[in-house]
C-alpha cells in the first residue's frame, strides 16, 4: 500500500492571524551572513509549511470515503494557542527489511540496508492481496525509508572511513536553491568535504527556472544519490527515498488524527483506541503511511492516541525530522578512545528551544558524520559494536533513533469513522496532485533513475510540493497539472476537464492530455498512473498574490475542492544578484506598455552610497555604467529593461519603446559577467514593479 498524501481545502492567501512564522528545520540559518536572503528563505519556508498543512487538513475530498477534513490538528499560522511538546521516536534502521525477509541473518539485514541488494520480491499491498514486485520504494536509496539515509565511504582496502547520515528534507533544499543556487553549492562542498563539486553537477541539464533563468536543482544529482560515496560521485545531503519528505510527514500527522473504529464495524462500536500492537492495522484502516516501517505506524498510532484522549495537536516548531544521539555504550575502539568523539554534528544541534525559550525534547540533528581522524591510524571498520567490527553503515544506524516532535493542547475527542474506502463512480472526482512548468515536467519525466532492484522510475518522482512561482501579468505560461481519477482522453478535446481557480483573474486552457503518466507522486512508496493536463496559464494584472489552489473538474461533473497552495502568484520582483529575469509578460507591436517602480531597495555595490540601498533610479550619486554593464552610460544600479534585442532604461518608470515583440526582461544595471570584480554576486536586495499592458 502506498503512503497516501491527503490534500487540502481551498484557502485564502497565508493568514497572519497568529503573527506566527515557522522556523527552518533545527532553526538553521544558512544565510546568517546575508540578512536579506535569510529573510527571504524564512518567509518562503514558512509559507511552504503553511501550504503543506492546508493540503493535509483537507484529507481526500475527491475519490475516497470516510475521509473528513481534520478537526484535531491545528495550523499555528492561523491559530497558535499554548501547547506542550512531546517527542515521537523510532529506530533509524529500515524496519520493513526484517518483516519482508524474516529468515535473513542480522548481518544479511545490515548488508541489505547498506546496498539495497534484496534476496527476493515483496507484495505490493501489505494490507491485502497483492502481487509480488521488486522491493520498493524505488530509487538509489529508496529502501532507507525511515526518514534517515546514509552514504558510506571506503578506502582501497574496503574499510569504512566515513559515514554520512542525513534526515534533511528535500523541500528545504529545493527552497534553498530557489533563494541562491550558489549557497547550495557551497554547502555541498563544505558538508561532504568535496571542493570538486560544481554547480553544473547539481543542476538538471537543459532547463532553467522560467523566471530567474537560473539552473534547476537536481535532487538526485551525482553527489546525493545512492549509498556509496567516493571522490567522484555519491554522498548523502538530503533525503531521496520518495516517501521521505516533510510534506509526507505532515500529511501523515494530519491524516492520523482522524479517529477509526476498532475493530471496524460490524458489529457497531464506539471504541477508537488502537494499542501499539495494532498500529500497523490502523495504517491499513486509515490508509496513511507504509505498514511495517518503524516510523509511520509509530507516528500515526501515537498521534491517533493523542486525539483519542481529546488533544488537538500539530508538529512542534520547527517541524522536521531529526536524528538522535547514538547509544555508544556497546562501541569499542582499538585504542580506548571514546567512540562518541568520532560523531560530528555537521548540521543541526543537540538541543533546541521553542520560540518562547522552553527546551524541546530530544536532539535536533540534521546531518551527522561518523569518521575517525586520519592521525588515529585506524578506521571506522576497526571499531566494534557489541563485539562485531563495523562492516556496514547500518550497524551505526541501528544504534540511534529518529524523532519528530508533536505539540498538543487539551480539546475534545472527535467521533470515529469506518475504514477508508473507494467512492462510487458517480462520486469520484478529478484530484489535482501537482503543478509544474512544462519544461520541468517533460525533462524530469524523461529521465529514468536506476536502482539496485533494476526498477528505474522517472526523476519526477523526486519532485516536491514546493509551489511553482508565477508572476502577476504572466501572459501564457506553459504548465502541466498532474491529476488523479481524471476522465480526460488523449486527443479528444471534448473530454478535457476544466482547470479553474478562485481568482477570476487567473485562467487556464487545456491544450493536450497524456494518460498513464507513471511516477511516484512525492510521499508515495510506489509509482502510480495518473493523467497529465498540459495547460496555458495567464495571470491578470489584478490577480491576488499569494498561495493559489487549483480546481480540476471532469466533464459532466460539478466543481469539487481545490488542491491548495499548488502555486504562488508573485508580484514582478527583480533581484539585484541575478542577470536578466523574465517577467512572463509578452507584448506585441500593438501594445502600449508601461513599467513602474512600486517598492523595494537594492544596490549594485554594497561599498557605495555609504552602504545604503536605493531604489530603481540607481545610485543617488550618478555613476555611468561601463562597457560590459547591463546598459552602457546609464546610472549604475538603475533598473534596465529588454525586449528581444532592444535594451532600455526603466528607472522609476517608463513606457516601453514601441513596435517591440516578445517577453519583457528586467535587470539591475551592473557588471553582468564579473569583468571588473564581483559582478552581480555581491549585490543585495530586490525591487517590485508593476507592468501595465494596453
Amino acid at each position: 500500500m502506498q503512503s497516501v498524501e491527503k490534500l487540502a481545502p481551498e484557502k485564502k492567501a497565508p493568514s497572519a492571524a497568529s503573527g506566527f512564522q515557522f522556523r527552518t528545520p533545527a532553526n538553521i540559518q544558512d544565510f546568517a551572513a546575508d540578512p536579506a536572503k535569510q529573510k527571504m528563505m524564512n518567509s518562503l519556508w514558512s509559507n511552504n509549511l503553511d501550504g503543506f498543512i492546508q493540503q493535509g487538513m483537507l484529507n481526500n475530498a475527491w475519490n475516497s470515503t470516510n475521509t473528513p477534513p481534520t478537526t484535531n490538528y491545528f495550523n499555528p499560522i492561523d491559530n497558535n494557542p499554548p501547547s506542550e511538546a512531546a517527542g515521537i521516536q523510532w529506530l533509524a534502521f529500515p524496519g520493513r527489511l526484517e518483516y519482508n525477509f524474516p529468515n535473513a541473518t542480522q548481518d544479511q539485514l545490515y548488508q541489505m540496508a547498506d546496498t539495497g541488494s534484496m534476496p527476493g520480491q515483496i507484495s505490493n499491498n501489505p494490507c491485502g492481496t497483492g502481487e509480488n514486485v521488486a522491493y520498493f520504494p524505488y530509487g538509489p536509496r529508496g529502501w532507507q525509508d525511515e526518514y534517515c539515509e546514509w552514504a558510506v565511504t571506503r578506502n582501497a582496502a574496503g574499510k569504512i572511513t566515513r559515514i554520512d547520515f542525513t534526515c534533511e528534507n528535500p523541500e528545504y533544499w529545493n527552497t534553498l536553491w530557489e533563494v541562491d543556487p550558489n549557497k547550495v553549492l557551497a554547502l555541498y562542498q563544505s558538508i561532504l568535504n568535496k571542493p570538486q563539486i560544481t554547480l553544473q553537477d547539481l543542476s538538471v541539464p537543459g532547463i532553467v527556472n522560467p523566471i530567474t533563468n537560473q539552473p534547476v536543482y537536481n535532487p538526485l544529482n551525482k553527489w546525493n544519490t545512492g549509498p556509496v560515496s567516493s571522490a567522484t560521485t555519491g554522498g548523502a545531503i538530503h533525503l531521496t527515498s520518495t516517501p521521505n519528505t516533510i510534506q509526507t510527514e505532515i500529511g501523515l500527522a494530519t491524516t492520523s488524527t482522524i479517529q477509526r473504529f476498532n475493530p471496524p464495524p460490524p458489529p457497531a462500536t464506539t471504541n477508537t483506541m488502537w494499542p501499539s500492537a495494532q498500529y500497523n492495522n490502523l495504517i491499513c484502516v486509515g490508509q496513511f503511511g507504509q505498514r511495517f516501517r518503524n516510523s509511520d505506524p509509530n507516528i500515526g498510532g501515537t498521534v491517533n492516541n493523542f486525539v483519542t484522549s481529546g488533544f488537538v495537536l500539530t508538529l512542534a516548531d520547527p517541524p522536521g525530522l531529526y536524528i538522535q544521539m547514538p547509544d555508544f555504550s556497546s562501541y569499542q575502539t582499538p585504542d580506548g578512545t571514546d567512540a562518541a568523539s568520532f560523531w560530528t554534528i555537521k548540521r543541526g544541534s543537540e538541543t533546541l528551544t521553542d520560540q518562547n525559550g522552553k527546551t524541546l525534547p530530544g536532539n535536533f540533528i540534521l546531518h551527522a558524520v561518523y569518521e575517525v581522524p586520519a592521525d588515529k591510524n585506524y578506521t571506522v571498520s576497526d571499531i566494534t559494536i557489541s563485539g562485531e567490527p563495523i562492516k556496514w553503515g547500518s550497524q551505526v544506524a541501528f544504534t540511534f533513533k529518529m524523532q519528530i516532535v508533536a505539540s498538543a493542547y487539551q480539546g475534545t475527542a472527535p467521533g470515529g469513522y469506518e475504514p477508508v474506502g473507494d467512492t462510487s463512480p458517480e462520486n469520484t472526482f478529478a484530484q489535482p496532485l501537482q503543478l509544474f512548468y512544462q519544461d520541468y515536467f517533460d525533462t524530469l519525466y524523461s529521465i529514468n533513475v536506476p536502482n539496485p532492484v533494476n526498477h528505474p522510475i522517472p526523476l519526477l518522482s523526486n519532485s516536491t510540493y514546493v509551489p511553482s512561482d508565477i508572476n502577476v501579468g504572466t501572459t501564457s505560461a506553459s504548465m502541466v497539472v498532474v491529476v488523479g481519477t481524471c476522465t480526460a482522453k488523449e486527443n479528444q478535446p471534448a473530454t478535457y476537464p476544466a482547470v479553474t481557480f478562485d481568482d477570476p483573474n487567473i485562467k487556464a486552457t487545456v491544450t493536450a492530455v497524456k494518460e498513464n503518466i507513471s511516477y511516484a507522486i512525492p510521499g508515495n512508496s510506489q509509482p502510480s498512473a495518473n493523467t497529465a493536463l498540459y495547460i496555458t496559464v495567464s495571470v491578470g494584472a489584478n490577480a491576488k498574490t499569494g498561495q493559489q489552489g487549483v480546481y480540476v473538474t471532469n466533464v459532466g461533473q460539478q466543481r469539487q475542492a481545490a488542491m491548495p497552495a499548488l502555486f504562488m502568484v508573485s508580484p514582478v520582483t527583480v533581484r539585484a544578484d541575478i542577470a536578466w529575469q523574465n517577467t512572463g509578460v509578452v507584448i506585441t507591436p500593438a501594445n502600449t506598455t508601461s513599467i513602474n517602480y512600486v517598492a523595494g531597495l537594492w544596490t549594485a555595490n554594497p561599498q557605495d552610497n555609504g552602504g545604503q540601498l536605493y531604489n530603481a533610479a540607481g545610485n543617488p550619486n550618478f555613476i555611468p555604467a561601463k562597457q560590459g554593464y547591463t546598459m552602457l552610460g546609464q546610472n549604475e544600479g538603475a533598473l534596465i529593461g529588454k525586449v528581444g534585442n532592444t535594451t532600455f532604461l526603466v528607472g522609476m518608470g517608463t513606457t516601453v519603446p514601441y513596435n517591440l515583440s516578445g517577453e519583457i526582461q528586467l535587470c539591475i544595471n551592473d557588471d553582468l559577467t564579473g569583468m571588473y570584480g564581483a559582478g552581480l554576486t555581491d549585490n543585495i536586495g530586490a525591487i517590485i514593479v508593476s507592468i501595465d499592458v494596453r
Side-chain angles (χ1 to χ4, degrees):
M1 187 181 81
Q2 295 179 357
S3 305
V4 181
E5 315 86 2
K6 302 301 182 181
L7 309 176
E10 65 233 72
K11 170 145 191 236
K12 72 272 185 188
S15 167
S18 69
F20 176 88
Q21 184 179 66
F22 287 108
R23 294 180 291 172
T24 52
N27 199 28
I28 197 161
Q29 302 288 284
D30 283 317
F31 296 103
D34 190 334
K37 286 185 179 177
Q38 189 61 58
K39 182 178 180 181
M40 183 190 304
M41 181 69 199
N42 292 344
S43 177
L44 285 172
W45 183 244
S46 184
N47 189 75
N48 289 344
L49 289 177
D50 177 35
F52 299 157
I53 293 174
Q54 293 175 45
Q55 292 162 4
M57 289 180 69
L58 175 64
N59 224 319
N60 187 333
W62 302 277
N63 48 39
S64 65
T65 60
N66 299 318
T67 50
T70 59
T71 59
N72 281 55
Y73 194 95
F74 70 94
N75 184 349
I77 292 286
D78 293 329
N79 179 39
N80 190 31
S83 55
E84 294 295 322
I88 302 174
Q89 297 187 351
W90 62 92
L91 188 64
F93 186 89
R96 291 170 58 246
L97 293 178
E98 184 176 4
Y99 170 78
N100 284 292
F101 306 112
N103 296 322
T105 66
Q106 188 62 51
D107 188 69
Q108 288 171 330
L109 293 173
Y110 286 144
Q111 182 175 356
M112 288 181 225
D114 261 34
T115 66
S117 178
M118 304 299 174
Q121 295 184 319
I122 63 173
S123 172
N124 64 357
N125 184 7
C127 290
T129 302
E131 300 176 353
N132 285 339
V133 298
Y135 194 97
F136 59 86
Y138 305 119
R141 284 196 298 263
W143 62 95
Q144 294 177 358
D145 59 353
E146 300 290 1
Y147 305 101
C148 178
E149 300 176 18
W150 58 92
V152 176
T153 306
R154 296 178 185 270
N155 63 18
K159 289 192 171 185
I160 296 175
T161 59
R162 171 175 170 143
I163 312 169
D164 281 85
F165 295 98
T166 185
C167 62
E168 294 211 55
N169 67 77
E171 294 96 330
Y172 178 83
W173 283 81
N174 276 269
T175 308
L176 194 68
W177 182 278
E178 184 178 347
V179 176
D180 188 351
N182 288 304
K183 171 58 72 173
V184 174
L185 171 62
L187 288 171
Y188 262 78
Q189 293 171 334
S190 172
I191 295 167
L192 298 180
N193 192 26
K194 295 179 178 180
Q196 66 269 35
I197 299 174
T198 67
L199 193 65
Q200 184 178 7
D201 290 340
L202 307 183
S203 306
V204 177
I207 56 174
V208 296
N209 182 305
I211 295 177
T212 66
N213 286 316
Q214 297 290 290
V216 170
Y217 181 57
N218 180 358
L220 288 186
N221 62 78
K222 63 183 288 187
W223 302 107
N224 187 46
T225 184
V228 176
S229 179
S230 71
T232 57
T233 189
I237 285 288
H238 62 71
L239 300 172
T240 62
S241 183
T242 56
N244 286 351
T245 73
I246 189 65
Q247 190 269 353
T248 309
E249 198 54 48
I250 292 172
L252 178 68
T254 55
T255 304
S256 58
T257 64
I258 303 299
Q259 298 295 278
R260 302 291 172 185
F261 293 125
N262 183 21
T269 180
T270 58
N271 179 55
T272 57
M273 177 62 73
W274 292 78
S276 58
Q278 296 180 353
Y279 284 173
N280 278 301
N281 296 334
L282 176 60
I283 286 273
C284 294
V285 169
Q287 286 192 15
F288 59 84
Q290 182 65 240
R291 205 176 189 206
F292 304 118
R293 288 169 77 174
N294 294 321
S295 50
D296 289 359
N298 189 24
I299 297 166
T302 303
V303 167
N304 192 265
N305 284 342
F306 274 132
V307 175
T308 303
S309 300
F311 286 96
V312 181
L313 58 89
T314 193
L315 292 187
D317 179 69
L321 302 144
Y322 298 110
I323 294 169
Q324 303 303 287
M325 288 293 293
D327 178 0
F328 289 106
S329 61
S330 60
Y331 286 59
Q332 183 65 47
T333 64
D335 62 356
T337 301
D338 183 359
S341 66
F342 304 144
W343 175 267
T344 302
I345 298 173
K346 300 286 283 190
R347 287 169 65 78
S349 57
E350 276 200 54
T351 61
L352 193 67
T353 61
D354 66 18
Q355 295 196 29
N356 296 315
K358 186 175 181 180
T359 300
L360 290 165
N363 310 129
F364 293 83
I365 302 168
L366 298 172
H367 190 118
V369 171
Y370 200 60
E371 182 178 31
V372 178
D375 61 9
K376 284 291 185 180
N377 295 316
Y378 59 86
T379 69
V380 172
S381 288
D382 297 308
I383 300 171
T384 62
I385 302 177
S386 299
E388 294 293 327
I390 299 177
K391 296 191 297 183
W392 309 105
S394 56
Q395 290 172 258
V396 178
F398 207 86
T399 66
F400 66 82
K401 293 184 176 181
M402 300 297 302
Q403 173 179 271
I404 63 168
V405 181
S407 196
Y409 65 89
Q410 188 66 52
T412 303
Y417 286 83
E418 294 188 18
V420 175
D422 295 326
T423 52
S424 60
E426 64 272 16
N427 290 312
T428 300
F429 304 98
Q431 179 182 16
L433 295 170
Q434 288 185 279
L435 181 74
F436 309 98
Y437 279 98
Q438 182 180 328
D439 283 352
Y440 180 94
F441 173 85
D442 286 342
T443 301
L444 269 67
Y445 189 66
S446 70
I447 299 173
N448 276 330
V449 180
N451 52 46
V453 295
N454 297 316
H455 196 290
I457 59 173
L459 179 58
L460 196 67
S461 302
N462 285 91
S463 59
T464 68
Y465 277 82
V466 172
S468 300
D469 271 317
I470 186 167
N471 281 339
V472 167
T474 293
T475 309
S476 55
S478 297
M479 306 188 85
V480 174
V481 57
V482 176
V483 187
T485 49
C486 182
T487 58
K489 301 296 181 183
E490 293 182 19
N491 303 314
Q492 297 182 33
T495 69
Y496 292 0
V499 178
T500 57
F501 314 90
D502 281 324
D503 189 337
N505 294 290
I506 308 172
K507 300 183 184 300
T509 301
V510 179
T511 59
V513 168
K514 289 187 179 179
E515 297 179 75
N516 297 314
I517 295 294
S518 181
Y519 69 101
I521 302 293
N524 282 348
S525 293
Q526 298 179 70
S528 59
N530 294 290
T531 302
L533 306 178
Y534 285 71
I535 59 177
T536 301
V537 179
S538 63
V539 182
N542 295 319
K544 295 179 294 185
T545 59
Q547 297 171 350
Q548 301 291 336
V550 176
Y551 299 88
V552 177
T553 307
N554 286 328
V555 172
Q557 293 186 326
Q558 296 295 309
R559 191 167 87 164
Q560 301 300 310
M563 164 61 163
L566 203 57
F567 68 106
M568 285 285 296
V569 171
S570 302
V572 179
T573 303
V574 191
R575 289 175 49 176
D577 61 339
I578 299 177
W580 291 111
Q581 296 156 67
N582 297 328
T583 63
V585 179
V586 178
I587 61 173
T588 70
N591 296 131
T592 299
T593 306
S594 61
I595 306 173
N596 289 285
Y597 168 83
V598 173
L601 299 173
W602 63 9
T603 181
N605 187 343
Q607 306 306 314
D608 287 342
N609 194 38
Q612 299 299 305
L613 307 188
Y614 42 75
N615 58 29
N619 197 312
N621 303 306
F622 186 91
I623 302 176
K626 298 184 283 290
Q627 189 71 38
Y629 275 52
T630 314
M631 191 170 187
L632 180 67
Q634 297 297 339
N635 193 17
E636 183 179 286
L639 177 62
I640 307 298
K642 182 171 71 171
V643 176
N645 294 319
T646 301
T647 303
F648 51 91
L649 173 67
V650 177
M652 297 297 285
T654 192
T655 298
V656 176
Y658 296 105
N659 297 318
L660 297 182
S661 179
E663 183 172 4
I664 297 173
Q665 296 179 296
L666 298 171
C667 183
I668 193 171
N669 198 10
D670 196 10
D671 177 9
L672 289 177
T673 62
M675 182 183 303
Y676 305 100
L680 302 177
T681 61
D682 63 343
N683 292 358
I684 298 172
I687 62 168
I688 295 172
V689 302
S690 64
I691 303 177
D692 181 46
V693 181
R694 299 181 185 277

